[in-house]
Amino acid sequence: MFRRFAGIIPGGALKMFECPPVELTTLLEVAWQSRAYDDRQSTDLRLPLGHPGNRSDLAPQHDDKLLNLLKSTMGIAAPDGLVTIWAPAGVPATGRTVLWDHLIYAYMIENTRIYEIFRQVLFEFLHGEKLGAPTAGAEHWLRNTEELFYHDPPPLSITNIASHIRPDLRATRRNAYWRMFGMDLNHGSNEGQPYSYIKADAYNNEFVTVFEELLREVWIAITNIKNETGPNPTDSGKMENLVENLHDMLISRRQSGNLSREEFFAVAAMSWFHLTVSFNESPIIVALRAEAASPEQRLFKVAQRVGLPAHGLSKSYFDIADAISRILIQIEASNTAIVSSFVGEGTEINAVQKTMNTIITHWSLITGGLVSPFLEGELFVPQSEAEWESRLAALEAESPFRQAFEENAEYAIEPEFHEERKESYSAEFDGECLMMTKL
């Protein structure tokens, strides 16, 4: 979310990091106010609450009149236009077009241990000069980061998901991850103990199994894209069943807009830290002398400075986060309609298949389980029927995926160096300091 904000405002991320906390908080309120929302009167036509085009009907902190005054004062302009990708014909152009990443994005980014590492960065800078004196730019970043993500959110704010009932923001995020995916983070407390949080009885305990099976089926489809003569085991019907199962379990957790606020704030927090390690001019990266060629290498350097190791496969977590977020949002929005893109047409890989390519590759790397065909040099070499039977037998083996996401999963001992990943940010905001435009 903050990566998108920074992609359009004059001065980009550096200017955004300098904005006072009240402007950044208002920015989040405006983003929520301008979320994609279906306000048609007819309940027969209206998208159900929880749908990507209609996540929640909760109002932001302030009424429209006061929030509009704040927007005007701070130079924040609401977006224009219609979310045509989600809205069926007849949806009025309300100007609410803001979409945010899926909760899975926050889950993947947090698995790098980035939140804990920067918590330690704040601890050291705010309690002494073990890391040296912060630069002027770092002072702004430290203030904003502490106020926004290591402090109870402002009272009545849409991002305020802390209270006497749930006082720990980290536990609240883990609870949401558990309910939506049946997965915990791969690390516990800094002391190596399991992190305490409430594990809900109602959770998607089959998410990993079903999603993994979908990856296998898409894998088979893509590896057969140029298969014109031999047996083709691509099974569209099975993919439809798997996608429908995923759609139903994800939407079941979102009934009446449930978990939307938790997702919104978790995505905002992780995108802030993701942006922080995305470029060398980031003020806290400069202050820590952690410049490097890629986000994961910068994170490794920051982690080394504070003595708290990042996950050795952080690159894979960074690279899979955007891709898997896009796919789950499309599954929630279009259900089985996405299957035709999984199968594809002709002999060239389409955009959705490329996204699934990324997911399969990095999921395999993270788990150390199935060997992805996308890591091989020759993807489209024809195979005999006997070779396919051997491949299918390997695909049907017991899943290695779930264990890689369990708490206290082992870190890789030595992270590999990878070239810097390329980001493409869609723009939401434009203006003197923070101005919003069409997504």
Side-chain angles (χ1 to χ4, degrees):
M1 186 179 298
F2 279 107
R3 295 179 301 147
R4 294 171 180 167
F5 300 164
I8 193 63
I9 64 172
L14 292 177
K15 181 64 176 178
M16 187 178 69
F17 285 150
E18 292 178 355
C19 290
V22 65
E23 290 194 19
L24 297 174
T25 300
T26 302
L27 174 61
L28 292 176
E29 290 292 318
V30 173
W32 180 269
Q33 181 195 44
S34 302
R35 70 196 178 281
Y37 178 59
D38 187 351
D39 58 1
R40 286 176 291 180
Q41 295 300 312
S42 173
T43 56
D44 294 333
L45 297 176
R46 190 185 309 151
L47 297 172
L49 284 173
H51 184 283
N54 195 26
R55 284 295 195 208
S56 174
D57 62 358
L58 294 178
Q61 174 181 6
H62 307 292
D63 60 27
D64 286 347
K65 182 180 296 186
L66 180 54
L67 192 52
N68 289 339
L69 177 61
L70 289 172
K71 288 190 296 186
S72 176
T73 302
M74 298 176 186
I76 301 174
D80 298 317
L82 175 66
V83 187
T84 55
I85 196 169
W86 309 123
V91 178
T94 60
R96 294 183 169 188
T97 63
V98 173
L99 305 170
W100 55 82
D101 279 302
H102 198 277
L103 184 65
I104 196 72
Y105 166 84
Y107 173 78
M108 291 297 178
I109 297 300
E110 192 161 4
N111 265 317
T112 66
R113 214 178 183 186
I114 196 168
Y115 184 83
E116 307 297 339
I117 289 168
F118 279 110
R119 183 181 186 278
Q120 194 64 29
V121 169
L122 264 74
F123 180 89
E124 297 296 350
F125 272 123
L126 298 176
H127 287 89
E129 297 181 15
K130 178 180 178 180
L131 302 177
T135 63
E139 287 281 8
H140 288 283
W141 184 93
L142 289 167
R143 180 197 179 195
N144 284 328
T145 304
E146 183 181 24
E147 287 283 345
L148 290 172
F149 306 117
Y150 298 96
H151 188 282
D152 288 349
L156 308 181
S157 169
I158 199 65
T159 61
N160 188 4
I161 55 174
S163 68
H164 295 304
I165 306 300
R166 45 178 184 176
D168 186 347
L169 289 172
R170 287 179 287 181
T172 297
R173 287 199 300 272
R174 287 176 184 258
N175 172 267
Y177 300 149
W178 176 257
R179 291 160 67 184
M180 189 67 77
F181 313 118
M183 297 189 291
D184 196 356
L185 295 175
N186 57 27
H187 56 272
S189 67
N190 291 350
E191 293 73 32
Q193 300 299 314
Y195 202 93
S196 177
Y197 70 98
I198 302 298
K199 287 188 174 182
D201 293 332
Y203 68 100
N204 291 330
N205 63 318
E206 295 186 353
F207 172 83
V208 172
T209 302
V210 175
F211 186 68
E212 167 204 332
E213 191 64 26
L214 178 63
L215 294 184
R216 290 173 174 166
E217 292 301 320
V218 175
W219 173 348
I220 292 170
I222 296 177
T223 53
N224 276 275
I225 195 171
K226 290 189 177 181
N227 182 4
E228 298 178 353
T229 57
N232 191 333
T234 299
D235 191 341
S236 298
K238 185 174 182 180
M239 279 188 272
E240 287 183 356
N241 288 335
L242 292 168
V243 167
E244 186 173 21
N245 196 344
L246 282 173
H247 170 273
D248 291 349
M249 71 172 71
L250 292 172
I251 292 299
S252 70
R253 300 278 78 80
R254 296 186 181 276
Q255 294 182 77
S256 303
N258 198 23
L259 291 178
S260 291
R261 292 172 58 217
E262 290 80 1
E263 177 184 63
F264 179 79
F265 192 50
V267 166
M270 294 307 127
S271 67
W272 175 271
F273 293 112
H274 192 175
L275 176 64
T276 294
V277 298
S278 291
F279 63 110
N280 277 332
E281 294 75 20
S282 177
I284 198 67
I285 296 298
V286 173
L288 292 169
R289 299 185 295 280
E291 295 89 345
S294 61
E296 73 277 2
Q297 292 298 324
R298 296 181 192 104
L299 181 61
F300 292 145
K301 286 190 173 184
V302 174
Q304 186 178 31
R305 291 296 307 275
V306 298
L308 193 63
H311 197 287
L313 292 173
S314 290
K315 174 178 171 55
S316 288
Y317 282 115
F318 282 131
D319 285 355
I320 198 175
D322 287 320
I324 197 169
S325 171
R326 290 195 297 271
I327 291 298
L328 291 192
I329 287 175
Q330 289 185 58
I331 287 175
E332 289 184 2
S334 62
N335 204 340
T336 57
I338 195 176
V339 171
S340 61
S341 297
F342 290 158
V343 176
E345 296 181 357
T347 58
E348 299 298 326
I349 293 180
N350 61 38
V352 172
Q353 289 172 326
K354 288 179 181 178
T355 301
M356 292 298 286
N357 175 335
T358 299
I359 296 170
I360 294 169
T361 298
H362 291 290
W363 192 291
S364 298
L365 287 171
I366 289 168
T367 63
L370 295 177
V371 178
S372 167
F374 304 108
L375 301 178
E376 299 174 359
E378 297 179 295
L379 175 58
F380 300 116
V381 176
Q383 293 179 302
S384 67
E385 186 170 357
E387 289 174 324
W388 261 116
E389 289 177 354
S390 175
R391 171 65 64 85
L392 288 173
L395 288 173
E396 292 167 359
E398 184 177 354
S399 166
F401 291 114
R402 183 183 298 274
Q403 63 187 11
F405 295 102
E406 295 296 334
E407 186 175 306
N408 297 325
E410 293 183 0
Y411 295 135
I413 295 175
E414 184 66 30
E416 296 181 2
F417 179 82
H418 299 273
E419 66 177 1
E420 185 169 12
R421 67 192 295 266
K422 297 180 180 179
E423 300 282 0
S424 59
Y425 303 136
S426 58
E428 286 180 3
F429 290 81
D430 187 11
E432 182 178 355
C433 182
L434 298 173
M435 301 273 298
M436 193 181 299
T437 187
K438 186 176 180 181
L439 179 65

